[in-house]
Amino acid sequence: MTTDLKPNSRERLLDAAAALTYREGVNIGIDALCKAAGVSKRSMYQLFPSKDELLAASLERRASAYVAGLLPAADSDLGPRERIMHVFDQVASQSASPEFRGCPYLSAEIELKNPDHPASRVAREVKGNLTAYFRTEAEQGGASDPDFLARQLTLIFDGASARAGIGAEHLDGLLAPTVAALLDAAGLH
Amino acid sequence: MTTDLKPNSRERLLDAAAALTYREGVNIGIDALCKAAGVSKRSMYQLFPSKDELLAASLERRASAYVAGLLPAADSDLGPRERIMHVFDQVASQSASPEFRGCPYLSAEIELKNPDHPASRVAREVKGNLTAYFRTEAEQGGASDPDFLARQLTLIFDGASARAGIGAEHLDGLLAPTVAALLDAAGLH
DNA sequence: ACCATGGTAAACCGATCTGTTTCCAAGTGC
DNA sequence: GCACTTGGAAACAGATCGGTTTACCATGGT
């Protein structure tokens, strides 16, 4: 077993950072993060070299759960079209919650304008994975230009996230027909 | 003539606020704004009651120029379809500039998570006007559901703004076919 | 009982935040 | 010359920022 002292503090910090930065933005203070996690600043700075790295680590940790909530279960026997639609259905249903603030990775990249920020790097990677997923499914479904379709879908995804996140749109019934139109245009069967 | 003492300070502040918050985010400090505008804080606080109001006023002032850069000239004799496409062509060409950071109104709403912030209110109104423009043109073009199409187009607009703004997408050749697919699906002639 | 470890609370540091105030120089009218 | 306004420079206030350090207290091994 790899040494696993201090098991809780680290995770509590990551969870608190994920929750608070999502609600309040990346400019939330370290004192607030530590207080919410029930961890002293001293311990925090033993676990993470800086706030930036804590933020990046919290986004990274959140990543697998985030995509798990978006993608269909591994054992589901859906076709490529359904596997794409599933992502958008999930976003639409998530956006119904009043706590929904859009894709945390998009928000992070917009708030930290600096693309070299460690958290921006993580965010870029996660979003890249989503686009890659779309591309794979598009290919599988025989789309005429899988790469192009994947870019279109990511655009829709981020647009929907952003608008629903600021409460400007309620996605209900909007997303499915829009995505369907693009899939049809791309010849995805 | 309405009294127009202190003509320059006010405008310089508004311009500086627009430019700096766009580049650096809404968390830019007041000292930096005043220094960039060449106006003392004392004068600034005589002209505006708070930073929030200055920010809101700068977004409001920027609004007419912003939509002017997006919409076709008033005397242009374009059909509804072209008048819609024109907006997206403009975004695509603007996004080529390295200073492009996406729609400033979307960014503002995302960064200030508070929808009651005066600047959020202004941003919401400006974006509402864009959606209204789309709806009008959709109606004019005989779209089957103008309201629905307008929501779709705004979604694309914001998605494109966001992704190009963070440098994740270069819109070139992506936007026109995507929008065209939606216009076709809506039966816009 | 003793000491090491590890973690919390809290003071502290210098910087920066929004916002206020003081001081002073440059007009301006008379 | 002289009262008066205007506004810039900058100090200031109080809070908070990221980050460090000190002081104390709990545990547990021996």
Side-chain angles (χ1 to χ4, degrees), chain B residues 48-102:
Chain B
F48 301 93
S50 69
K51 180 199 175 184
D52 290 352
E53 294 296 337
L54 166 60
L55 188 51
S58 88
L59 286 188
E60 196 158 31
R61 168 178 161 83
R62 196 193 171 95
S64 60
Y66 182 69
V67 304
L70 249 33
L71 270 45
D75 61 353
S76 65
D77 54 349
L78 297 142
R81 191 185 182 96
E82 288 78 23
R83 288 173 60 79
I84 288 174
M85 286 300 309
H86 185 268
V87 173
F88 292 95
D89 290 344
Q90 290 298 105
V91 174
S93 93
Q94 286 174 16
S95 75
S97 157
E99 292 92 33
F100 184 77
R101 291 258 138 59

Side-chain angles (χ1 to χ4, degrees), chain A residues 135-159:
Chain A
R135 181 168 44 240
T136 300
E137 301 304 323
E139 226 160 28
Q140 210 77 26
S144 55
D145 187 343
D147 223 89
F148 187 77
L149 178 57
R151 288 169 62 208
Q152 286 181 305
L153 292 174
T154 306
L155 197 109
I156 300 277
F157 182 90
D158 279 347

Side-chain angles (χ1 to χ4, degrees), chain B residues 133-145:
Chain B
Y133 169 81
F134 286 145
R135 183 167 45 240
T136 301
E137 300 305 324
E139 226 160 28
Q140 211 76 26
S144 55
D145 187 341

Side-chain angles (χ1 to χ4, degrees), chain B residues 61-179:
Chain B
R61 168 178 161 83
R62 196 193 171 95
S64 60
Y66 182 69
V67 304
L70 249 33
L71 270 45
D75 61 353
S76 65
D77 54 349
L78 297 142
R81 191 185 182 96
E82 288 78 23
R83 288 173 60 79
I84 288 174
M85 286 300 309
H86 185 268
V87 173
F88 292 95
D89 290 344
Q90 290 298 105
V91 174
S93 93
Q94 286 174 16
S95 75
S97 157
E99 292 92 33
F100 184 77
R101 291 258 138 59
C103 169
Y105 301 94
L106 177 62
S107 296
E109 283 194 87
I110 291 178
E111 290 173 39
L112 325 154
K113 315 249 174 210
N114 175 11
D116 294 332
H117 191 293
S120 285
R121 276 195 246 269
V122 173
R124 212 158 43 231
E125 190 193 329
V126 172
K127 306 238 66 157
N129 289 343
L130 180 64
T131 304
Y133 169 81
F134 286 145
R135 183 167 45 240
T136 301
E137 300 305 324
E139 226 160 28
Q140 211 76 26
S144 55
D145 187 341
D147 225 87
F148 187 78
L149 178 57
R151 287 169 62 207
Q152 288 180 303
L153 292 174
T154 306
L155 197 109
I156 300 278
F157 182 92
D158 278 348
S161 275
R163 289 200 63 73
I166 62 178
E169 183 64 70
H170 64 296
L171 300 191
D172 228 55
L174 176 65
L175 230 35
T178 306
V179 172

Side-chain angles (χ1 to χ4, degrees), chain B residues 1-76:
Chain B
M1 78 275 283
T2 66
T3 73
D4 189 26
L5 304 174
K6 57 191 98 161
N8 292 336
S9 295
R10 191 184 165 83
E11 294 184 6
R12 285 211 309 271
L13 273 169
L14 291 172
D15 290 344
L20 278 184
T21 58
Y22 186 54
R23 281 215 323 261
E24 316 273 350
V26 297
N27 284 298
I28 184 78
I30 270 199
D31 291 354
L33 292 185
C34 289
K35 176 172 253 184
V39 174
S40 71
K41 284 171 71 176
R42 186 181 198 270
S43 305
M44 190 246 118
Y45 275 105
Q46 281 170 230
L47 293 166
F48 301 93
S50 69
K51 180 199 175 184
D52 290 352
E53 294 296 337
L54 166 60
L55 188 51
S58 88
L59 286 188
E60 196 158 31
R61 168 178 161 83
R62 196 193 171 95
S64 60
Y66 182 69
V67 304
L70 249 33
L71 270 45
D75 61 353
S76 65

Side-chain angles (χ1 to χ4, degrees), chain A residues 14-57:
Chain A
L14 291 173
D15 289 344
L20 279 183
T21 59
Y22 186 53
R23 281 214 324 260
E24 316 272 352
V26 296
N27 284 297
I28 185 76
I30 269 199
D31 290 355
L33 292 185
C34 290
K35 176 173 256 185
V39 175
S40 70
K41 284 170 75 175
R42 186 181 199 269
S43 304
M44 190 245 118
Y45 275 105
Q46 281 171 230
L47 293 166
F48 300 95
S50 69
K51 180 197 174 187
D52 290 351
E53 294 296 337
L54 166 60
L55 188 51

